[in-house]
CSV table of all heavy atoms in Angstrom, one decimal:
chain,number,residue,atom,x,y,z
V,1,GLN,N,21.1,2.9,-18.0
V,1,GLN,CA,21.7,3.4,-16.8
V,1,GLN,C,20.6,3.8,-15.7
V,1,GLN,O,21.0,4.0,-14.5
V,1,GLN,CB,22.5,4.7,-17.1
V,1,GLN,CG,21.7,5.8,-17.7
V,1,GLN,CD,21.8,5.8,-19.2
V,1,GLN,OE1,21.9,4.8,-19.8
V,1,GLN,NE2,21.7,7.0,-19.8
V,2,TRP,N,19.4,3.8,-16.1
V,2,TRP,CA,18.3,4.1,-15.2
V,2,TRP,C,17.6,2.9,-14.7
V,2,TRP,O,16.5,2.9,-14.1
V,2,TRP,CB,17.3,5.1,-15.8
V,2,TRP,CG,17.8,6.5,-16.0
V,2,TRP,CD1,18.2,7.0,-17.1
V,2,TRP,CD2,18.0,7.5,-15.0
V,2,TRP,NE1,18.7,8.3,-16.9
V,2,TRP,CE2,18.6,8.6,-15.6
V,2,TRP,CE3,17.8,7.5,-13.6
V,2,TRP,CZ2,18.9,9.7,-14.9
V,2,TRP,CZ3,18.2,8.6,-12.9
V,2,TRP,CH2,18.7,9.7,-13.5
V,3,LYS,N,18.1,1.7,-15.1
V,3,LYS,CA,17.4,0.4,-14.7
V,3,LYS,C,17.2,0.3,-13.2
V,3,LYS,O,16.1,-0.1,-12.8
V,3,LYS,CB,18.1,-0.7,-15.3
V,3,LYS,CG,17.4,-2.1,-15.2
V,3,LYS,CD,18.2,-3.2,-15.8
V,3,LYS,CE,17.5,-4.5,-15.7
V,3,LYS,NZ,18.2,-5.6,-16.4
V,4,ALA,N,18.3,0.5,-12.5
V,4,ALA,CA,18.2,0.4,-11.0
V,4,ALA,C,17.2,1.4,-10.4
V,4,ALA,O,16.4,1.0,-9.5
V,4,ALA,CB,19.6,0.6,-10.4
V,5,ALA,N,17.2,2.6,-11.0
V,5,ALA,CA,16.2,3.6,-10.4
V,5,ALA,C,14.8,3.2,-10.8
V,5,ALA,O,13.9,3.4,-10.0
V,5,ALA,CB,16.6,5.0,-11.0
V,6,ARG,N,14.6,2.6,-12.0
V,6,ARG,CA,13.3,2.2,-12.3
V,6,ARG,C,12.8,1.1,-11.4
V,6,ARG,O,11.6,1.1,-11.0
V,6,ARG,CB,13.2,1.7,-13.8
V,6,ARG,CG,13.4,2.8,-14.8
V,6,ARG,CD,13.0,2.3,-16.2
V,6,ARG,NE,13.9,1.3,-16.7
V,6,ARG,CZ,15.0,1.5,-17.4
V,6,ARG,NH1,15.3,2.7,-17.7
V,6,ARG,NH2,15.7,0.5,-17.9
V,7,TRP,N,13.7,0.1,-11.1
V,7,TRP,CA,13.3,-1.0,-10.2
V,7,TRP,C,13.0,-0.4,-8.8
V,7,TRP,O,12.0,-0.8,-8.1
V,7,TRP,CB,14.4,-2.0,-10.1
V,7,TRP,CG,14.3,-3.0,-11.2
V,7,TRP,CD1,15.1,-3.1,-12.3
V,7,TRP,CD2,13.4,-4.1,-11.3
V,7,TRP,NE1,14.7,-4.2,-13.1
V,7,TRP,CE2,13.7,-4.9,-12.4
V,7,TRP,CE3,12.3,-4.6,-10.4
V,7,TRP,CZ2,13.0,-6.0,-12.8
V,7,TRP,CZ3,11.6,-5.7,-10.8
V,7,TRP,CH2,11.9,-6.4,-12.0
V,8,GLY,N,13.8,0.5,-8.4
V,8,GLY,CA,13.6,1.1,-7.0
V,8,GLY,C,12.2,1.9,-7.0
V,8,GLY,O,11.5,1.8,-6.0
V,9,ALA,N,11.9,2.6,-8.1
V,9,ALA,CA,10.7,3.4,-8.1
V,9,ALA,C,9.5,2.4,-8.1
V,9,ALA,O,8.5,2.6,-7.5
V,9,ALA,CB,10.6,4.3,-9.3
V,10,ALA,N,9.6,1.3,-8.9
V,10,ALA,CA,8.5,0.3,-9.0
V,10,ALA,C,8.3,-0.3,-7.6
V,10,ALA,O,7.2,-0.5,-7.2
V,10,ALA,CB,8.8,-0.7,-10.0
V,11,LEU,N,9.4,-0.7,-6.9
V,11,LEU,CA,9.3,-1.3,-5.6
V,11,LEU,C,8.7,-0.4,-4.6
V,11,LEU,O,7.8,-0.8,-3.8
V,11,LEU,CB,10.6,-1.9,-5.1
V,11,LEU,CG,11.2,-3.0,-5.9
V,11,LEU,CD1,12.6,-3.4,-5.4
V,11,LEU,CD2,10.3,-4.3,-5.8
V,12,ALA,N,9.1,0.9,-4.7
V,12,ALA,CA,8.5,1.9,-3.7
V,12,ALA,C,7.1,2.1,-4.0
V,12,ALA,O,6.3,2.2,-3.0
V,12,ALA,CB,9.3,3.2,-3.9
V,13,LEU,N,6.7,2.1,-5.2
V,13,LEU,CA,5.2,2.3,-5.6
V,13,LEU,C,4.5,1.1,-5.1
V,13,LEU,O,3.4,1.2,-4.6
V,13,LEU,CB,5.1,2.5,-7.1
V,13,LEU,CG,3.7,2.6,-7.6
V,13,LEU,CD1,3.0,3.9,-7.0
V,13,LEU,CD2,3.6,2.8,-9.1
V,14,LEU,N,5.0,-0.1,-5.3
V,14,LEU,CA,4.3,-1.4,-4.9
V,14,LEU,C,4.2,-1.4,-3.4
V,14,LEU,O,3.1,-1.7,-2.8
V,14,LEU,CB,5.1,-2.6,-5.4
V,14,LEU,CG,4.6,-3.9,-5.0
V,14,LEU,CD1,3.2,-4.1,-5.6
V,14,LEU,CD2,5.5,-5.1,-5.4
V,15,ALA,N,5.2,-1.0,-2.6
V,15,ALA,CA,5.1,-1.0,-1.2
V,15,ALA,C,4.1,0.1,-0.7
V,15,ALA,O,3.4,-0.2,0.2
V,15,ALA,CB,6.5,-0.6,-0.6
V,16,GLN,N,4.0,1.2,-1.4
V,16,GLN,CA,3.1,2.2,-1.1
V,16,GLN,C,1.6,1.7,-1.3
V,16,GLN,O,0.8,1.9,-0.4
V,16,GLN,CB,3.3,3.5,-1.9
V,16,GLN,CG,2.4,4.6,-1.6
V,16,GLN,CD,2.8,5.4,-0.4
V,16,GLN,OE1,3.8,5.0,0.3
V,16,GLN,NE2,2.1,6.4,0.0
V,17,VAL,N,1.4,1.0,-2.4
V,17,VAL,CA,0.1,0.5,-2.7
V,17,VAL,C,-0.3,-0.6,-1.7
V,17,VAL,O,-1.4,-0.6,-1.2
V,17,VAL,CB,0.0,0.0,-4.1
V,17,VAL,CG1,-1.3,-0.8,-4.4
V,17,VAL,CG2,0.2,1.1,-5.1
V,18,VAL,N,0.6,-1.5,-1.4
V,18,VAL,CA,0.3,-2.5,-0.4
V,18,VAL,C,0.1,-1.9,0.9
V,18,VAL,O,-0.9,-2.3,1.7
V,18,VAL,CB,1.5,-3.5,-0.4
V,18,VAL,CG1,1.3,-4.5,0.8
V,18,VAL,CG2,1.6,-4.3,-1.7
V,19,GLY,N,0.9,-0.9,1.3
V,19,GLY,CA,0.7,-0.3,2.6
V,19,GLY,C,-0.6,0.4,2.8
V,19,GLY,O,-1.3,0.3,3.8
V,20,LEU,N,-1.0,1.1,1.7
V,20,LEU,CA,-2.3,1.8,1.7
V,20,LEU,C,-3.5,0.8,1.8
V,20,LEU,O,-4.5,1.1,2.5
V,20,LEU,CB,-2.4,2.7,0.5
V,20,LEU,CG,-1.6,4.0,0.5
V,20,LEU,CD1,-1.7,4.7,-0.9
V,20,LEU,CD2,-2.0,4.9,1.6
V,21,ASN,N,-3.4,-0.3,1.1
V,21,ASN,CA,-4.5,-1.3,1.1
V,21,ASN,C,-4.5,-1.9,2.5
V,21,ASN,O,-5.7,-2.2,3.0
V,21,ASN,CB,-4.2,-2.3,0.0
V,21,ASN,CG,-4.7,-1.8,-1.4
V,21,ASN,OD1,-5.9,-1.9,-1.7
V,21,ASN,ND2,-3.8,-1.4,-2.2
V,22,ALA,N,-3.4,-2.2,3.1
V,22,ALA,CA,-3.4,-2.8,4.4
V,22,ALA,C,-4.0,-1.8,5.4
V,22,ALA,O,-4.8,-2.2,6.3
V,22,ALA,CB,-2.0,-3.2,4.8
V,23,TRP,N,-3.6,-0.6,5.3
V,23,TRP,CA,-4.2,0.4,6.3
V,23,TRP,C,-5.7,0.6,6.1
V,23,TRP,O,-6.4,0.7,7.0
V,23,TRP,CB,-3.5,1.8,6.0
V,23,TRP,CG,-4.1,2.9,6.8
V,23,TRP,CD1,-3.9,3.2,8.1
V,23,TRP,CD2,-5.0,3.9,6.3
V,23,TRP,NE1,-4.6,4.3,8.5
V,23,TRP,CE2,-5.3,4.8,7.4
V,23,TRP,CE3,-5.6,4.1,5.1
V,23,TRP,CZ2,-6.2,5.8,7.2
V,23,TRP,CZ3,-6.5,5.1,4.9
V,23,TRP,CH2,-6.8,6.0,6.0
V,24,ALA,N,-6.1,0.6,4.8
V,24,ALA,CA,-7.6,0.8,4.5
V,24,ALA,C,-8.3,-0.5,5.0
V,24,ALA,O,-9.4,-0.3,5.6
V,24,ALA,CB,-7.8,0.9,3.0
V,25,TRP,N,-7.8,-1.6,4.9
V,25,TRP,CA,-8.4,-2.9,5.4
V,25,TRP,C,-8.5,-2.8,6.9
V,25,TRP,O,-9.6,-3.2,7.5
V,25,TRP,CB,-7.6,-4.1,4.9
V,25,TRP,CG,-8.2,-5.4,5.4
V,25,TRP,CD1,-9.3,-6.0,4.9
V,25,TRP,CD2,-7.7,-6.2,6.5
V,25,TRP,NE1,-9.5,-7.2,5.5
V,25,TRP,CE2,-8.6,-7.3,6.6
V,25,TRP,CE3,-6.7,-6.1,7.4
V,25,TRP,CZ2,-8.4,-8.3,7.5
V,25,TRP,CZ3,-6.5,-7.1,8.3
V,25,TRP,CH2,-7.4,-8.2,8.4
V,26,THR,N,-7.5,-2.4,7.6
V,26,THR,CA,-7.5,-2.3,9.1
V,26,THR,C,-8.5,-1.2,9.5
V,26,THR,O,-9.3,-1.5,10.5
V,26,THR,CB,-6.1,-1.9,9.6
V,26,THR,OG1,-5.2,-2.8,9.1
V,26,THR,CG2,-6.1,-1.8,11.1
V,27,GLU,N,-8.6,-0.1,8.9
V,27,GLU,CA,-9.5,0.9,9.2
V,27,GLU,C,-11.0,0.5,9.0
V,27,GLU,O,-11.9,0.7,9.8
V,27,GLU,CB,-9.3,2.2,8.4
V,27,GLU,CG,-8.0,3.0,8.9
V,27,GLU,CD,-8.1,3.4,10.3
V,27,GLU,OE1,-9.1,4.0,10.7
V,27,GLU,OE2,-7.1,3.2,11.0
V,28,ASN,N,-11.2,-0.2,7.9
V,28,ASN,CA,-12.5,-0.7,7.6
V,28,ASN,C,-13.0,-1.7,8.6
V,28,ASN,O,-14.2,-1.7,9.1
V,28,ASN,CB,-12.6,-1.3,6.2
V,28,ASN,CG,-12.6,-0.3,5.1
V,28,ASN,OD1,-13.0,0.8,5.3
V,28,ASN,ND2,-12.1,-0.7,3.9
V,29,ARG,N,-12.1,-2.6,9.1
V,29,ARG,CA,-12.4,-3.5,10.1
V,29,ARG,C,-12.7,-2.8,11.4
V,29,ARG,O,-13.7,-3.2,12.2
V,29,ARG,CB,-11.3,-4.5,10.3
V,29,ARG,CG,-11.1,-5.5,9.2
V,29,ARG,CD,-10.3,-6.7,9.6
V,29,ARG,NE,-11.0,-7.4,10.7
V,29,ARG,CZ,-10.5,-8.5,11.3
V,29,ARG,NH1,-9.3,-9.0,10.9
V,29,ARG,NH2,-11.1,-9.1,12.2
V,30,ALA,N,-12.0,-1.8,11.8
V,30,ALA,CA,-12.2,-1.0,13.0
V,30,ALA,C,-13.6,-0.3,13.0
V,30,ALA,O,-14.4,-0.4,13.9
V,30,ALA,CB,-11.1,0.0,13.3
V,31,ILE,N,-13.9,0.3,11.8
V,31,ILE,CA,-15.2,0.9,11.7
V,31,ILE,C,-16.4,-0.1,11.7
V,31,ILE,O,-17.4,0.2,12.4
V,31,ILE,CB,-15.3,1.7,10.3
V,31,ILE,CG1,-14.3,2.9,10.4
V,31,ILE,CG2,-16.7,2.2,10.0
V,31,ILE,CD1,-14.1,3.6,9.1
V,32,ALA,N,-16.2,-1.2,11.1
V,32,ALA,CA,-17.2,-2.3,11.1
V,32,ALA,C,-17.4,-2.8,12.5
V,32,ALA,O,-18.6,-3.0,13.0
V,32,ALA,CB,-16.8,-3.4,10.2
V,33,ALA,N,-16.3,-2.9,13.3
V,33,ALA,CA,-16.5,-3.4,14.7
V,33,ALA,C,-17.2,-2.4,15.5
V,33,ALA,O,-18.1,-2.7,16.4
V,33,ALA,CB,-15.1,-3.6,15.3
V,34,LYS,N,-16.9,-1.0,15.3
V,34,LYS,CA,-17.7,0.0,16.1
V,34,LYS,C,-19.1,0.0,15.7
V,34,LYS,O,-20.0,0.2,16.6
V,34,LYS,CB,-17.0,1.4,15.8
V,34,LYS,CG,-15.6,1.5,16.4
V,34,LYS,CD,-15.1,2.9,16.1
V,34,LYS,CE,-13.7,3.1,16.7
V,34,LYS,NZ,-13.1,4.4,16.4
V,35,GLN,N,-19.4,-0.2,14.4
V,35,GLN,CA,-20.8,-0.2,14.0
V,35,GLN,C,-21.6,-1.4,14.7
V,35,GLN,O,-22.7,-1.3,15.1
V,35,GLN,CB,-20.9,-0.3,12.5
V,35,GLN,CG,-20.5,1.0,11.8
V,35,GLN,CD,-20.5,0.9,10.3
V,35,GLN,OE1,-20.5,-0.3,9.8
V,35,GLN,NE2,-20.4,2.0,9.6
V,36,VAL,N,-20.9,-2.6,14.7
V,36,VAL,CA,-21.5,-3.7,15.3
V,36,VAL,C,-21.8,-3.5,16.8
V,36,VAL,O,-22.8,-3.8,17.4
V,36,VAL,CB,-20.6,-5.0,15.1
V,36,VAL,CG1,-21.1,-6.1,16.0
V,36,VAL,CG2,-20.6,-5.3,13.6
């Protein structure tokens, strides 16, 4: 009965990880551009 909730939690966690990595990549590029 918790299968749908488990899938939802996994997708939310995956989206969070992907979003954090995308944000970190963008910030690293901005910092590198300022250093250059």
Side-chain angles (χ1 to χ4, degrees):
Q1 62 266 30
W2 291 104
K3 185 176 181 180
R6 289 195 297 269
W7 275 105
L11 291 176
L13 180 61
L14 180 61
Q16 184 77 0
V17 171
V18 171
L20 287 175
N21 280 278
W23 173 81
W25 180 77
T26 304
E27 290 297 315
N28 286 334
R29 289 200 61 183
I31 293 173
K34 290 181 180 180
Q35 290 175 344
V36 170

